[in-house]
């Protein structure tokens, strides 16, 4: 048996801004697994659509986005300084441009377009095919890898989530208000749960992690016990 035979797929789904990426990245580092942030992929498509006239004044032209899809090549490259992979679109580093409020306000609409999901889900399945992967998103345990050996569903109080995202954005120098962030968090929850294709929902076999009042260290301790139980021979 090769080493990859022992490695599993870990799906981390849940609401926006509840620390999924931070936690999934920490798990991957701890286990020596690859971390894949699928939200970054939907954000990268949204950014490309914004920059290429498929979204004007916040209105998403779905057909125009679909037409752009063949012109979007998404790649990841490991950045040792961040301990995670940076995302590139057509060879351009876009990591720093995809987490603005402009992208956040349109990404739910873009991610509800069936052709967008079809393209990105196929890419994600190929990237996770070799196992030893921690993938975070909304539909990883339900659609992308329904057979993942370990599925987490993360949630936290919307007010706590808004405060966390507010702190993150203001630390980067972005001018935002807590109210607009909380509105965006609640709107994205509603949009992600109610879209027709691959809505956000908890897989029947997912384990819920509510981290409203937990530090990353406490979450890690909780997770490592679960991981040990699930991978015990
Ligand atoms: O994780 P995030 O907040 O960066 O994700 C951005 C958006 O992308 C989110 O509002 C929903 C969408 N998304 C999705 O539909 N499916 C995924 N697997 C990941 C993200």
């Amino acid at each position: 048996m090769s080493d990859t035979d022992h490695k599993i797929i870990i799906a981390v789904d849940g609401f926006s801004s509840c620390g999924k990426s931070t936690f999934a990245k920490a798990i991957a580092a701890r286990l020596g697994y690859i971390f894949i942030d699928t939200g970054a992929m939907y954000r990268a498509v949204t950014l490309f659509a914004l920059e290429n006239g498929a979204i004007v004044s916040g209105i998403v032209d779905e057909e125009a986005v679909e037409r752009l899809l063949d012109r979007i090549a998404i790649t990841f490259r490991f950045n040792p300084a961040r301990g995670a992979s940076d995302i590139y679109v057509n060879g351009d580093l876009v990591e720093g441009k995809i987490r603005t409020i402009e992208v956040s306000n349109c990404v739910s609409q873009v991610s509800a377009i069936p052709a967008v999901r079809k393209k990105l889900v196929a890419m994600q399945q190929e990237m996770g095919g070799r196992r030893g992967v921690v993938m975070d998103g909304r539909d990883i345990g339900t659609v992308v890898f329904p057979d993942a050996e370990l599925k987490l569903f993360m949630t936290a109080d919307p007010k706590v989530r808004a405060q966390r995202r507010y702190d993150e954005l203001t630390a980067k120098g972005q001018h935002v208000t807590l109210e607009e962030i909380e509105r965006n968090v609640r709107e994205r929850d509603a949009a992600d749960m109610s879209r027709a294709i691959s809505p956000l929902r908890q897989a029947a076999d997912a384990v819920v992690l509510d981290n409203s009042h937990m530090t990353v260290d406490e979450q890690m301790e909780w997770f490592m016990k679960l991981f040990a139980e699930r991978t015990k021979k």
Side-chain angles (χ1 to χ4, degrees):
M1 251 196 201
S2 74
D3 190 38
T4 44
D5 292 329
H6 299 291
K7 290 192 169 177
I8 65 169
I9 293 180
I10 301 173
V12 182
D13 289 306
F15 292 100
S16 62
S17 305
C18 62
K20 289 191 306 297
S21 296
T22 307
F23 188 52
K25 192 168 116 179
I27 294 174
R30 176 81 176 251
L31 300 176
Y33 280 23
I34 292 167
F35 160 62
I36 298 168
D37 175 357
T38 64
M41 298 167 76
Y42 290 95
R43 287 173 178 276
V45 172
T46 305
L47 176 71
F48 194 81
L50 277 163
E51 289 180 343
N52 288 276
I55 303 175
V56 179
S57 308
I59 312 283
V60 179
D61 178 341
E62 297 196 5
E63 285 174 12
V65 175
E66 260 192 74
R67 282 195 299 275
L68 287 179
L69 282 178
D70 285 341
R71 289 174 40 203
I72 310 179
I74 295 176
T75 46
F76 285 95
R77 229 173 286 164
F78 189 71
N79 175 347
R82 273 198 334 120
S85 293
D86 286 335
I87 189 163
Y88 291 74
V89 172
N90 301 333
D92 294 332
L93 176 65
V94 294
E95 190 61 45
K97 292 207 251 171
I98 59 169
R99 300 185 201 279
T100 61
I101 191 81
E102 289 74 26
V103 171
S104 296
N105 282 337
C106 302
V107 65
S108 285
Q109 257 179 289
V110 170
S111 62
I113 302 172
V116 171
R117 301 207 73 83
K118 192 169 170 222
K119 176 177 167 121
L120 297 188
V121 166
M123 268 187 77
Q124 291 152 13
Q125 288 172 332
E126 200 187 315
M127 290 189 291
R130 275 171 292 147
R131 323 187 71 70
V133 161
V134 184
M135 195 173 277
D136 96 77
R138 303 291 188 288
D139 59 342
I140 310 305
T142 52
V143 175
V144 183
F145 288 111
D147 297 330
E149 290 86 346
L150 184 44
K151 301 179 186 178
L152 299 184
F153 190 84
M154 288 180 64
T155 181
D157 184 313
K159 281 195 180 303
V160 174
R161 290 190 275 137
Q163 184 70 51
R164 286 178 187 160
R165 179 134 301 197
Y166 175 80
D167 293 345
E168 194 185 309
L169 292 177
T170 49
K172 285 187 197 156
Q174 289 192 33
H175 299 287
V176 288
T177 63
L178 187 56
E179 291 69 37
E180 75 177 311
I181 298 295
E182 191 174 333
R183 196 178 332 117
N184 175 261
V185 162
R186 289 185 189 275
E187 280 172 6
R188 282 204 291 148
D189 285 355
D192 293 347
M193 285 189 294
S194 64
R195 69 174 172 232
I197 172 169
S198 312
L200 169 65
R201 63 178 174 81
Q202 187 189 324
D205 52 351
V207 183
V208 176
L209 170 59
D210 181 336
N211 69 7
S212 304
H213 306 291
M214 284 170 94
T215 63
V216 174
D217 285 347
E218 287 165 346
Q219 293 173 64
M220 184 58 77
E221 194 182 326
W222 172 89
F223 172 78
M224 288 311 290
K225 279 191 199 135
L226 180 68
F227 180 79
E229 277 164 26
R230 291 294 180 91
T231 52
K232 187 162 65 194
K233 290 275 145 21

